[in-house]
């Protein structure tokens, strides 16, 4: 399409349509490059936990988990660091190693609050309670992998998952302006299997949650 | 890929033998998806399952078709399937963009699901960049259709009676060689790939698309859904059909929150 100054540009689409690349047939070199990139973007989840006393475990044995709390993003991770985590009651049992254009994490468990990291902790007094602090950005193409590799190792019966995350107030859609909205405020989404009382109002349409918390 | 909801109906609710699968392409203006929203909302379709796929950006929210407190609490995700057995209609709604390099895997998985669930045919609602039209396309109707050879045999006559315009092919090498023509659907997302795969796999597929630009695409959605209705007769078409499609509650605030009064 032509702009005001007359130059012809490709109009960007809100729908995120980018078919020029997709339509092209892949040459063997393209395929090789794509495979290398995919390998680089693979997620490694390294568990250091030992199984519960009742079972002898192989490396792939799913472990029993009754509560899994996941904090995604710097704010949520900081909340857990400030109010929940301490070295007396919690032990590190896992770490995620990943790379994308926005961040890189390593498999060290000795992290600074300003680092990008994704760590798993277990409550020493009740080893079925797990916690995850994920302050790194997990890219679109890595979210599904993260999900499968993390939840793949857990027994899902009687598992309660709580996801903590933050969004900018400006993204919240409401009839009034967000400028005058008292913030911060809490909203929740819950599955129909969640029968307990929710501590805050539910997220109204047309607001949505995306990325890793949604996954 | 397809995960059925567990409702009382059990397997009956996910038996799509002989059904028409209606689905959108994620395309310019999101017109196909908006049109599908109108269909699901107006026909009050029941959700029967979802697609568990790594091809779409994840998202979740509360029921976008909620009409009141009692039905507003059901979670809704990026690819869900709704059905209306009385019209032998099954609808897939896609609510987020495709992840890079995932067009082809999605098309292949979708077509193999279409075959395994024995759907009779697929109708894809889509759109294409209006600014890429040639001089002839600028005149007349902005709506186009495409049929795979297998569906052409079945409904070609009916479509001819409707006086619809088939999507034109364009020169493969414009300016150099005008004889070799190819299908080109700029801004159409997976439309071309899904259509060409369906042709080669013998799937009966129709594509209905509208030329449009980004902006307020609600009128485009109405135009597309009325176009669809000329053929499938999902609702009774009277003089003013626009008022008979029910706008879902999730279309509120499409352009953001309210304005701060202090601005004025």
């Amino acid at each position: 399409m032509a702009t005001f100054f007359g130059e012809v540009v490709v109009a960007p689409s809100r729908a995120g349509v980018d078919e020029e690349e997709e339509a092209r047939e892949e040459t063997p070199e393209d395929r090789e490059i794509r495979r290398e990139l995919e390998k680089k973007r693979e997620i490694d989840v390294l568990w250091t936990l030992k199984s519960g006393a009742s079972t002898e475990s192989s490396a792939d044995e799913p472990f029993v988990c009754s509560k899994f709390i996941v904090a995604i993003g710097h704010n949520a991770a900081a909340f857990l660091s400030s109010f929940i985590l301490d070295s007396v009651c919690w032990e590190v049992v896992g770490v995620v190693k990943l790379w994308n254009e926005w961040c890189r994490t390593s498999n060290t468990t000795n992290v600074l609050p300003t680092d990008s990291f994704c760590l798993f902790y277990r409550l020493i007094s009740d080893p079925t309670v797990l916690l995850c602090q994920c302050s790194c950005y997990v890219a679109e193409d890595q979210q599904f992998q993260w999900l499968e590799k993390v939840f793949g190792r857990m027994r899902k019966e009687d598992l309660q998952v709580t996801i903590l995350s933050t969004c900018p107030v400006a993204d919240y859609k409401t009839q009034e302006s967000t400028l005058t909205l008292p913030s911060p405020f809490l909203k929740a989404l819950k599955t129909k299997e969640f029968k307990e009382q929710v501590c805050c109002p539910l997220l109204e349409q047309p607001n949505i949650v995306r990325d890793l918390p949604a996954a | 890929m397809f995960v059925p909801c567990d409702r009382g109906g059990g397997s009956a609710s996910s038996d799509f033998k002989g059904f028409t699968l209606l689905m959108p392409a994620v395309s310019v203006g999101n017109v196909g998806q908006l049109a599908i929203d109108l269909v699901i909302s107006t026909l009050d379709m029941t959700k029967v399952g979802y697609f568990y796929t790594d091809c779409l950006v994840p998202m979740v929210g509360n029921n976008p078709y909620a009409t009141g407190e009692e039905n507003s609490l059901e979670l809704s995700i990026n690819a869900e399937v709704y059905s209306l057995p009385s019209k032998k209609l099954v609808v897939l709604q896609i609510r987020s963009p495709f992840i890079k390099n995932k067009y082809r895997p999605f098309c292949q998985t979708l077509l193999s699901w279409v075959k395994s669930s024995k759907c009779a045919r697929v109708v894809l609602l889509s759109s294409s960049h209006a600014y890429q039209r040639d001089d002839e396309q600028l005149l007349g109707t902005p709506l186009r259709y495409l049929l795979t050879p297998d569906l052409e045999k079945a409904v070609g006559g009916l479509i001819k009676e409707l006086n619809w315009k088939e999507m034109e092919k364009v020169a493969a090498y414009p300016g150099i060689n005008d004889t070799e023509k190819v299908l080109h659907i700029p801004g159409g997302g997976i439309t071309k790939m899904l259509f060409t795969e369906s042709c080669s796999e013998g799937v009966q597929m129709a594509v209905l698309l509208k030329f449009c630009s980004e902006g307020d695409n609600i009128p485009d959605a109405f135009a597309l859904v009325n176009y669809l209705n000329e053929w499938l007769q999902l609702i009774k078409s009277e003089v003013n059909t626009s008022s008979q499609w029910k706008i879902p509650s999730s279309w509120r605030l499409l352009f953001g929150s309210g304005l701060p009064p202090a601005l004025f």
Side-chain angles (χ1 to χ4, degrees):
Chain A
M1 101 184 164
T3 66
F4 291 119
F5 300 104
E7 79 265 33
V8 176
V9 295
V10 175
S13 169
R14 250 186 345 231
V17 168
D18 177 27
E19 84 211 61
E20 307 300 333
E21 283 189 47
E22 302 275 355
R24 246 186 30 227
E25 282 300 324
E26 264 191 332
T27 66
E29 288 93 3
D30 287 336
R31 222 184 330 268
E32 189 56 40
I33 294 173
R34 184 170 58 79
R35 261 204 283 267
E36 285 300 311
L37 258 175
E38 273 175 14
K39 242 195 306 214
K40 207 169 172 203
R41 296 175 77 90
E42 250 181 47
I43 291 186
D44 283 315
V45 183
L46 304 154
W47 298 101
T48 56
L49 50 68
K50 299 161 204 65
S51 69
S54 50
T55 46
E56 281 281 285
S57 83
S58 67
D60 296 327
E61 186 77 34
F63 49 83
V64 179
C65 186
S66 64
K67 284 187 161 52
F68 184 35
I69 302 164
V70 189
I72 301 173
H74 284 285
N75 292 321
F79 167 78
L80 287 188
S81 293
S82 315
F83 294 101
I84 310 284
L85 284 171
D86 60 56
S87 49
V88 176
C89 304
W90 297 87
E91 56 173 352
V92 176
V93 292
V95 63
V96 172
K97 189 156 162 259
L98 64 83
W99 173 88
N100 58 50
E101 293 80 1
W102 293 269
C103 71
R104 173 199 300 278
T105 67
S106 63
N107 47 6
T108 173
T109 53
N110 201 6
V111 292
L112 296 171
T114 46
D115 289 342
S116 280
F117 57 86
C118 183
L119 291 170
F120 296 89
Y121 301 85
R122 181 170 63 178
L123 189 60
I124 295 175
S125 55
D126 180 358
T128 66
V129 176
L130 251 84
L131 200 145
C132 171
Q133 259 186 330
C134 186
S135 73
C136 63
Y137 176 66
V138 181
E140 277 175 5
D141 56 309
Q142 296 170 317
Q143 286 158 12
F144 193 83
Q145 233 197 99
W146 190 101
L147 193 69
E148 296 265 286
K149 291 193 173 169
V150 170
F151 281 86
R153 287 295 310 278
M154 295 180 194
R155 286 252 301 270
K156 296 185 210 28
E157 293 86 31
D158 298 319
L159 169 62
Q160 187 188 80
V161 182
T162 308
I163 302 159
L164 306 172
S165 132
T166 52
C167 287
V169 175
D171 283 351
Y172 182 68
K173 309 253 189 317
T174 173
Q175 196 70 31
E176 309 83 40
S177 154
T178 51
L179 201 65
T180 48
L181 212 57
S183 70
F185 55 90
L186 283 177
K187 291 287 175 190
L189 284 174
K190 65 174 193 71
T191 62
K192 56 180 185 289
E193 286 80 8
F194 185 82
K195 302 289 185 215
E196 293 173 33
Q197 186 84 319
V198 182
C199 56
C200 61
L202 293 174
L203 187 65
E204 312 85 355
Q205 295 85 349
N207 293 288
I208 59 166
V209 174
R210 54 171 69 94
D211 293 326
L212 193 61
Chain B
M1 189 195 216
F2 174 68
V3 179
C5 292
D6 39 24
R7 283 171 196 270
S11 62
S13 57
S14 39
D15 178 17
F16 305 128
K17 188 162 176 201
F19 279 35
T20 297
L21 169 64
L22 182 63
M23 61 174 283
V26 180
S27 55
V28 58
N30 304 95
V31 178
Q33 296 159 283
L34 291 172
I36 295 284
D37 260 354
L38 287 173
V39 172
I40 297 173
S41 172
T42 309
L43 300 179
D44 199 19
M45 296 180 77
T46 317
K47 188 179 346 186
V48 294
Y50 61 90
F51 277 15
Y52 185 62
T53 173
D54 62 343
C55 301
L56 297 164
V57 175
M59 57 73 56
V60 65
N62 276 321
N63 183 7
Y65 310 111
T67 47
E69 284 262 358
E70 61 304 334
N71 58 12
S72 67
L73 295 188
E74 196 177 333
L75 285 186
S76 201
I77 61 166
N78 56 9
E80 297 190 312
V81 181
Y82 299 77
S83 126
L84 189 63
S86 59
K87 289 205 190 292
K88 295 194 89 147
L89 184 67
V90 55
V91 174
L92 165 68
Q93 175 62 303
I94 299 177
R95 299 199 173 94
S96 62
F98 280 92
I99 292 175
K100 208 168 150 65
N101 292 324
K102 292 293 188 182
Y103 277 27
R104 199 172 289 281
F106 183 81
C107 289
Q108 287 167 345
T109 320
L110 177 78
L111 287 180
S112 73
W113 177 69
V114 165
K115 288 191 184 153
S116 65
S117 54
K118 301 197 176 36
C119 289
R121 60 194 179 180
V122 182
V123 179
L124 181 69
L125 299 184
S126 178
S127 54
S128 184
H129 283 305
Y131 72 87
Q132 291 242 3
R133 289 175 292 176
D134 63 26
D135 292 345
E136 281 185 38
Q137 289 172 321
L138 282 170
L139 308 165
T141 173
L143 295 158
R144 296 288 186 277
Y145 78 93
L146 280 168
L147 299 176
T148 58
D150 293 86
L151 190 56
E152 173 84 49
K153 285 188 212 126
V155 303
L158 172 62
I159 298 296
K160 238 190 245 328
E161 275 175 42
L162 291 170
N163 232 350
W164 280 4
K165 227 170 161 181
E166 191 172 3
M167 181 70 172
E168 301 89 339
K169 288 202 166 133
V170 298
Y173 306 103
I176 301 172
N177 173 2
D178 276 345
T179 48
E180 200 184 323
K181 301 272 193 192
V182 289
L183 192 59
H184 185 47
I185 309 177
I190 59 169
T191 305
K192 181 176 163 184
M193 192 180 283
L194 199 56
F195 182 73
T196 40
E197 291 272 325
S198 299
C199 287
S200 50
E201 304 258 334
V203 173
Q204 293 192 10
M205 173 179 284
V207 174
L208 268 57
L209 67 83
K210 183 176 194 293
F211 290 116
C212 69
S213 303
E214 294 285 351
D216 179 357
N217 299 106
I218 294 177
D220 299 309
F222 275 102
L224 192 58
V225 81
N226 285 326
Y227 189 53
L228 173 72
N229 201 47
E230 282 175 33
W231 173 26
L232 292 187
Q233 297 287 304
L234 297 172
I235 62 167
K236 268 212 284 286
S237 38
E238 281 156 44
V239 179
N240 186 11
T241 39
S242 301
S243 54
Q244 289 170 277
W245 297 103
K246 190 165 120 191
I247 291 186
S249 54
S250 55
W251 284 20
R252 275 181 67 233
L253 304 172
L254 267 179
F255 297 101
S257 300
L259 297 168
L263 201 61
F264 308 105

